[in-house]
Amino acid sequence: TTTNLEFMKIFTLWANNQPYDLDGPTFAKMSKKCGKLMSEGKTQGDLKLRVRNDTITAFIAACQLQPFKVTKSNAFELQAAASEWEVATLSKFVKDYINSKKLTPLGDVDPVAQLLKNCAKKNYLETDIIAVANIVNQALDDPRFLEAPPEMIFQILQLADQNEINSQQLVNFVIT
């Protein structure tokens, strides 16, 4: 039989609806949120924000004390993930990177408009899918969302946090 100690060695982080197994004690040392969950006997948790795959890879590596790469394209997502999971050392490291590179967030971008603009150019970007998945309920109420290619809508709905999707909004969208 598995002892409780062995059971607590693995912490499963769910990100973009995918499970990632991490060394629990190491993650708990890096992340206050993980430490709190594990002290409550919980061995899994969700990264609420939908992020690019390279961001997840970097976040997990950093939280496992392995080499990771911060880039101009993942810095703000990595900062948000570090903040959500209360990883102070990573948060400071990324903040220093952002300041040293003088990076600025994209600001108030309209994710649905950006998606449609890129789709019109046949330029299908993971970042657009993620951005709309993060505001899925707003997108379902946005009449422009119907103009997106069906395969993009499918990918967005698949990536979105299934527990956050308003089922009535989804039904209304589907029957439109």
Side-chain angles (χ1 to χ4, degrees):
T1 65
T2 309
T3 66
N4 195 33
L5 189 59
E6 289 171 356
F7 175 67
M8 298 293 281
K9 282 186 180 174
I10 302 294
F11 186 90
T12 303
L13 177 68
W14 288 84
N16 295 351
N17 297 331
Q18 298 293 317
Y20 296 88
D21 289 338
L22 287 79
D23 178 76
T26 304
F27 191 30
K29 286 178 191 160
M30 296 297 294
S31 162
K32 284 184 183 177
K33 183 174 179 177
C34 176
K36 183 177 184 294
L37 288 170
M38 289 189 76
S39 72
E40 296 168 356
K42 297 176 181 163
T43 58
Q44 60 181 320
D46 292 314
L47 177 63
K48 295 290 182 204
L49 183 72
R50 296 317 195 231
V51 295
R52 296 161 7 135
N53 288 331
D54 65 314
T55 303
I56 294 169
T57 302
F59 179 74
I60 290 171
C63 292
Q64 297 291 277
L65 302 174
Q66 296 170 357
F68 65 97
K69 188 175 246 178
V70 180
T71 64
K72 291 176 183 176
S73 59
N74 76 2
F76 289 101
E77 286 183 345
L78 200 51
Q79 178 72 34
S83 175
E84 180 182 330
W85 275 85
E86 301 171 55
V87 183
T89 53
L90 178 60
S91 189
K92 182 186 180 330
F93 183 84
V94 176
K95 182 181 177 197
D96 291 347
Y97 175 88
I98 289 169
N99 291 338
S100 74
K101 301 287 185 190
K102 296 179 175 45
L103 301 180
T104 54
L106 295 174
D108 292 333
V109 174
D110 177 349
V112 174
Q114 190 66 39
L115 171 77
L116 295 175
K117 180 179 158 192
N118 286 328
C119 285
K121 296 186 236 172
K122 303 274 190 252
N123 189 9
Y124 307 107
L125 301 175
E126 178 189 24
T127 51
D128 291 336
I129 294 168
I130 291 167
V132 178
N134 279 321
I135 60 144
V136 69
N137 289 323
Q138 291 170 263
L140 291 171
D141 279 343
D142 189 328
R144 298 171 302 161
F145 191 44
L146 286 167
E147 299 168 27
E151 61 274 12
M152 296 297 283
I153 294 171
F154 176 77
Q155 287 180 39
I156 289 163
L157 292 174
Q158 191 175 23
L159 181 62
D161 183 342
Q162 302 304 301
N163 296 322
E164 296 295 320
I165 296 175
N166 180 310
S167 57
Q168 189 56 54
Q169 285 177 277
L170 181 58
V171 167
N172 293 344
F173 177 81
V174 170
I175 60 173
T176 300

